Every structure is written in structure tokens, then in C-alpha cells.
Amino acid sequence: MKKMRCAIVGTGVISKLHVQAISDHPEAELVAICDIDLQKAEEWVREFAPKASAYSNHKEMFEKEDIDIASICVPSGLHADVAISAAEAGIHVLCEKPLDIRRDKMAQMIETCRNHNVKLGCVYQRRTLSSAILTRQAIQEGKLGKLVLGDAYLKYYRSPEYFQSAGWRGTWELDGGGALMNQGVHGIDLIQWMVGDIESVFAYAAPLVRDIEVEDTAVVVVKYKNDAFGVIQGTTSVYPGQETRFEIHGEKGSIIFGDSGIKQWKFLESDEPIPQTEKEDKGHYLFVDDMIKAVRENREPLVSGEEARKAVDVILAIYESVKTGKEIKINH
Ligand SMILES: NC(=O)c1ccc[n+]([C@@H]2O[C@H](COP(=O)([O-])OP(=O)(O)OC[C@H]3O[C@@H](n4cnc5c(N)ncnc54)[C@H](O)[C@@H]3O)[C@@H](O)[C@H]2O)c1
């Protein structure tokens, strides 16, 4: 079978996982690497993919190279622009989270991909964790009965040096937000994927500790469309960072899980042992693999553009609530 010709835009922290996943995949080859810093792109070619070509301009790369799938690993506020260029060149898009940081840009990138008949997938790798998959399944099977509370605790530690490590971090322009838009977006995606769509939010958020424009801490009161309530707490300023934790309660059962596995799995109407979930870290490989299959089978990727924008819509509503002091309804 012909290998999928893959390219990467952005050679930073996260793109290493895309390089690794593409290199490990028997049906993929890395043919081009782009970074505005050409020297970095050339270094990566030498180190990871000697047969690939290096570029400093993604449009030129998309025009000149025969590419099937592009991994978008640039700062968040540039995702849509690069994805749109790829789609216009007929290239399928695997975009890092968050999909983008602006509503109009997300809509434009989804529409352009649709109009050019290319797939648009987004990497929210927590959706591949078996604790999350099992929880969602249990909720859908009605094991928790009517849902009452869906809470996400996303408490991390990022040092001042982290924010200095790249100029775009902690800025409205390119990060689009802080503890929620960058780190918390995974957990917000997951809680709404498991518990259900969010109807409205009310929030406080601010940079409480770090010298950044965006929030390093936020608390959010959530109302789900299925009438359940919840809270989301997100921070990047507490030491030590805590493990990500989700607590979902219904009239007939509760599930609590974190990075280290499921802590509580208790139902009124059945006695079940806590499922043992191994700590998986194959996320990026699974997303690259899924994208290849989505293209070959002409189906939607695991997390489509429409799915991926939901968490960003919620976060933008949270920011609006902080600004206005009001409860904000969400329209996807
Ligand atoms: N899935 C995850 O868990 C995860 C983890 C970390 C980062 N991310 C996401 O990945 C993206 C990149 O984050 P990072 O931490 O790797 O950032 P980074 O700063 O380490 O890397 C970004 C790279 O993009 C390059 N770049 C900037 N503008 C460019 C352009 N126009 N064309 C080509 N290259 C350009 C920069 O030179 C830099 O090398 C962000 O959107 C972030 O949210 C996802």
C-alpha cells in the first residue's frame, strides 16, 4: 500500500511526538518539515528524516511538495491560517489542540476543509484514555442514572521559565488564554465529551501569580444541557501540580478518575470491581493512525473539527463571563 506522505509545520515541543508517531507508523513517511526558523527545520530533517525537505514557509511547502497529511504544530493562534492553506492545497489536516482560539477562524477552517474535501482532525489525546472511554460508556449505559454533577479539576504547575520559553506563551494574541485555553482545554473537552454538552457557564479567572496577560487560575460554574451542574477549576500556578481529576456523580452512581487511574466506580444497582486501566501514553500515535485510516476509509477523524471546537467555544464563553460578570450561554 502506498505510504501516506506527511508534513509537519512547527518544530517545537509537541511536534517531536508527531515526528515519532509518523516514523513509527508503517503506512506513513515524513516528506517535509517547516518552521519559520529554517535552521531548525533543517536540523530536524538531518536528525529525524534525512529524505525530507526543509521549508521556512508553509504555503511554499504545500505548493511544491506532494503531501497527503499536514500536522499543524505552530502556536495556537496560527492553527486556522496554516490549516486553511493546507486545505486549499488539497492536504488533509491533523491539527494540535486547541483547534484555534477564535470562533470565526474555527468556522472558517472547518468550512474550508469541507469545501476542499479534506479531513480535519484535532489532537485531544486524553480521549484515548481507557478511564475516559469506560466512564463515557457507563454514563451512556445509564449506570449513573440521572446525572447530577460533572466536575473537572485541572490544577497544574508551570514555572515562570515556562512562560519565557517561547514568546507566544501566555499571550491573548497567540495562546488565546492561559490555564484553560492551553492546559485545561484537554480536560474541558473530556468532561463535556463524557457528561454532555454544556449549556452555560459563570466564571472568575485572572493571572493570580504569574506575570502574564491571560489567566493562570479560573473557577467555573457549569450547567449542562442535561440539567446536571458542575465545576471546573483550572490553574497553572499551584505547587505541586496535582493530577488531573474528574468526578462524575449521578443519582445511581459515581465515577472518579485521575491520571493514575479510576479511584471510584460505584453503582447503586450493580456491584462492579474498579476497572484496572494501565497508564497509556500512545496518544499521538493513535491520532496519526486514525487520520491515516480516516483518509483511506473516507470517514470523519476521531475528533473532527466540529467536535474539537466545542471545548474552545466553552472557554471563550468562560472568558466572556469573566469580562461581563454574567452567566453566558453557549452556542456551538
Ligand atoms: N496535545 C498536547 O498535549 C499538546 C502539548 C503541547 C503543545 N500543544 C499545542 O501545540 C502547539 C505548539 O506548541 P509547542 O509547545 O510545541 O510550541 P513551541 O513554541 O515549542 O513550538 C512552536 C514552533 O512553531 C514555529 N512557528 C511559529 N510560527 C510559525 C509559522 N508561521 N510557520 C512555521 N512554524 C512556525 C516556532 O518557530 C516553533 O518552533 C500549540 O498550539 C499547543 O497548544 C499540544
Side-chain angles (χ1 to χ4, degrees):
M1 196 181 291
K2 178 186 168 284
K3 286 192 174 184
M4 285 283 176
R5 297 172 63 83
C6 299
I8 286 181
V9 188
T11 57
V13 174
I14 204 61
S15 25
K16 283 242 164 81
L17 296 186
H18 289 256
V19 170
Q20 190 66 50
I22 294 164
S23 310
D24 288 348
H25 202 291
E27 291 175 31
E29 60 181 324
L30 185 53
V31 297
I33 298 178
C34 170
D35 198 288
I36 33 163
D37 180 346
L38 182 62
Q39 256 187 335
K40 253 172 105 187
E42 285 172 343
E43 258 169 47
W44 278 44
V45 162
R46 271 197 300 279
E47 195 173 338
F48 304 117
K51 286 194 202 145
S53 309
Y55 288 86
S56 61
N57 181 305
H58 60 271
K59 282 191 182 157
E60 188 191 342
M61 176 173 83
F62 294 151
E63 263 166 37
K64 287 196 177 156
E65 296 287 329
D66 173 15
I67 298 165
D68 296 307
I69 298 171
S71 285
I72 314 282
C73 305
V74 292
S76 307
L78 302 173
H79 287 180
D81 290 342
V82 179
I84 287 167
S85 301
E88 285 172 347
I91 296 167
H92 303 283
V93 174
L94 181 58
C95 186
E96 264 304 333
K97 64 81 193 161
L99 189 63
D100 193 87
I101 55 174
R102 294 180 184 91
R103 247 180 230 114
D104 55 341
K105 290 275 185 185
M106 291 191 295
Q108 207 186 335
M109 92 197 260
I110 290 170
E111 199 189 329
T112 310
C113 287
R114 195 182 300 123
N115 290 345
H116 286 81
N117 212 13
V118 297
K119 306 294 174 200
L120 171 59
C122 189
V123 183
Y124 285 114
Q125 71 270 26
R126 280 181 177 271
R127 285 206 191 188
T128 64
L129 295 176
S130 48
S131 43
I133 294 167
L134 289 170
T135 299
R136 185 166 186 263
Q137 223 168 9
I139 291 170
Q140 289 186 338
E141 285 166 4
K143 284 185 176 166
L144 281 74
K146 183 178 165 39
L147 293 179
V148 178
L149 294 169
D151 305 328
Y153 301 102
L154 317 166
K155 303 178 190 175
Y156 309 120
Y157 179 77
R158 293 291 183 277
S159 65
E161 293 73 39
Y162 165 83
F163 290 101
Q164 287 150 15
S165 69
W168 67 277
R169 298 194 200 285
T171 65
W172 286 115
E173 179 65 21
L174 288 173
D175 218 344
L180 298 185
M181 187 64 93
N182 191 321
Q183 289 75 21
V185 68
H186 284 293
I188 293 174
D189 173 65
L190 210 58
I191 194 77
Q192 63 86 39
W193 183 60
M194 296 183 297
V195 177
D197 284 347
I198 293 175
E199 184 176 293
S200 71
V201 290
F202 174 82
Y204 292 118
L208 293 185
V209 177
R210 296 280 169 258
D211 183 19
I212 50 176
E213 300 169 4
V214 298
E215 86 287 358
D216 66 10
T217 304
V219 291
V220 188
V221 174
V222 172
K223 187 171 183 301
Y224 293 91
K225 284 195 176 148
N226 58 21
D227 291 339
F229 299 149
V231 294
I232 295 169
Q233 294 187 358
T235 182
T236 45
S237 282
V238 295
Y239 183 82
Q242 306 290 305
E243 73 166 10
T244 305
R245 205 169 85 244
F246 299 96
E247 300 191 0
I248 299 157
H249 305 279
E251 54 169 347
K252 292 182 186 169
S254 287
I255 299 174
I256 297 176
F257 72 90
D259 295 331
S260 56
I262 300 178
K263 318 275 178 216
Q264 193 175 113
W265 184 265
K266 192 129 186 87
F267 310 114
L268 188 64
E269 289 167 357
S270 61
D271 198 12
E272 298 182 22
I274 293 183
Q276 294 307 306
T277 52
E278 68 283 7
K279 197 166 169 15
E280 304 112 302
D281 199 7
K282 295 181 297 202
H284 278 75
Y285 183 86
L286 294 177
F287 273 86
V288 166
D289 179 59
D290 171 72
M291 195 67 193
I292 290 171
K293 291 187 172 129
V295 172
R296 291 214 196 285
E297 295 162 16
N298 191 22
R299 62 156 170 83
E300 280 296 303
L302 187 59
V303 183
S304 66
E306 282 86 353
E307 266 296 295
R309 72 166 293 170
K310 286 183 178 179
V312 181
D313 285 337
V314 170
I315 294 167
L316 292 174
I318 291 169
Y319 293 156
E320 206 180 323
S321 171
V322 173
K323 225 178 354 182
T324 59
K326 294 193 172 129
E327 177 190 7
I328 302 294
K329 291 218 183 300
I330 289 151
N331 301 304
H332 289 303

